[in-house]
Amino acid sequence: MEATTASDSNALQVPKLKLYSYWRSSCSFRVRIALNLKGLNYEYKAVNLLKGEQFSPEFTKLNPISYVPVLVDEDVVVADSFAILLYLEEKYPQHPLLPSDLQKKAINFQAANIVSSSIQPLQNLAILKYIEEKVSSDERLTWVQYHIGKGFTALEKLLEGYAGKFATGDEVFLADLFIAPQIHGAITRFKVDMTQFPILSRLNDSYNELPAFQAAMPQNQPDATI
Ligand SMILES: N[C@@H](CCC(=O)N[C@@H](CS)C(=O)NCC(=O)O)C(=O)O
């Protein structure tokens, strides 16, 4: 694992934070957005998933299930993007990730979970490798597109009465941190036709304008290979 430093002139000086991340990982992307929104400076610790660095004894000590992201905040180690985001929210309350309105908060959790439980796990590296080996690479793409489509269709229905510039209104909240990376991957990696999803397409245009999202994009990470 190679260490590089991410810095931003607007970031608060909290150099003790370390983020174990992989440039193309949508789960890491969620946390990178939160760190940027909250103005938290962090050290970027690249974990190359294609080289299997997530299975190294050093990394497995940080996360026994061998997935990125992992956040290290001095002596606190938190793995899993959802857990990390809730940790950051409590420890660093600037730029809140959750609205105070209870219904809107619930919609944020629901939308985040559609992505984190019902889309992303079905497109994880190990699953795609298994389908490619046991069936075919064509089936791999058909599989991912089907599951992204199913999740995106649900999100379109869920957000119909809530979406503004962002998922639940005109402010960025938790749902956006899950939706933006999922759309980015759907377009760039899995060639999903986004014209079927007008609300999500509109949200994506808004995400693309925000510096906190731009800086978190895969292609802008120190370990990016494109
Ligand atoms: N629920 C976890 C999922 C983490 C996860 O699946 N990470 C992926 C990258 S997005 C990973 O490390 N995959 C490595 C592998 O499949 O070996 C989270 O939200 O952090």
Side-chain angles (χ1 to χ4, degrees), residues 18-226:
K18 287 183 198 151
L19 181 69
Y20 290 79
S21 167
Y22 178 58
W23 66 284
R24 216 175 52 179
S25 149
S26 62
C27 310
S28 306
F29 189 169
R30 299 167 191 161
V31 177
R32 297 193 300 251
I33 299 170
L35 290 165
N36 295 342
L37 286 172
K38 287 180 177 288
L40 296 167
N41 201 2
Y42 62 98
E43 186 183 348
Y44 189 103
K45 305 278 276 177
V47 182
N48 189 324
L49 301 184
L50 297 184
K51 288 191 185 156
E53 289 180 353
Q54 69 275 34
F55 303 113
S56 72
E58 186 195 343
F59 186 77
T60 307
K61 256 191 235 155
L62 297 173
N63 187 3
I65 199 161
S66 298
Y67 289 148
V68 288
V70 173
L71 181 83
V72 179
D73 186 2
E74 290 189 317
D75 53 349
V76 176
V77 179
V78 195
D80 192 291
S81 61
F82 224 122
I84 296 171
L85 295 172
L86 295 182
Y87 170 84
L88 288 173
E89 183 65 355
E90 285 210 18
K91 175 109 193 246
Y92 306 101
Q94 65 271 23
H95 198 303
L97 300 178
L98 289 167
S100 47
D101 179 84
L102 262 188
Q103 168 77 80
K104 259 200 202 179
K105 195 187 279 189
I107 297 294
N108 272 274
F109 285 131
Q110 189 179 348
N113 269 322
I114 288 177
V115 174
S116 76
S117 305
S118 304
I119 305 180
Q120 185 275 331
L122 298 164
Q123 62 170 53
N124 215 348
L125 206 59
I127 305 284
L128 298 187
K129 213 166 146 211
Y130 185 88
I131 296 174
E132 193 160 356
E133 279 169 17
K134 300 282 176 191
V135 192
S136 67
S137 49
D138 283 353
E139 185 55 29
R140 173 183 174 275
L141 193 63
T142 308
W143 165 274
V144 185
Q145 287 177 340
Y146 171 76
H147 288 287
I148 293 177
K150 185 176 170 197
F152 280 6
T153 302
L155 284 170
E156 286 277 322
K157 288 191 189 135
L158 178 70
L159 300 178
E160 217 169 4
Y162 294 95
K165 198 161 160 42
F166 300 107
T168 56
D170 290 332
E171 284 173 85
V172 169
F173 286 122
L174 190 80
D176 300 296
L177 276 53
F178 285 76
I179 293 171
Q182 188 57 59
I183 298 178
H184 189 278
I187 296 172
T188 59
R189 292 180 65 195
F190 302 121
K191 317 292 170 228
V192 170
D193 171 15
M194 288 301 296
T195 58
Q196 314 162 68
F197 308 111
I199 297 175
L200 296 180
S201 297
R202 199 183 73 219
L203 297 181
N204 196 42
D205 291 340
S206 306
Y207 301 143
N208 286 337
E209 286 173 9
L210 295 185
F213 284 67
Q214 289 163 357
M217 284 180 182
Q219 65 273 24
N220 297 327
Q221 303 318 301
D223 55 336
T225 55
I226 49 158

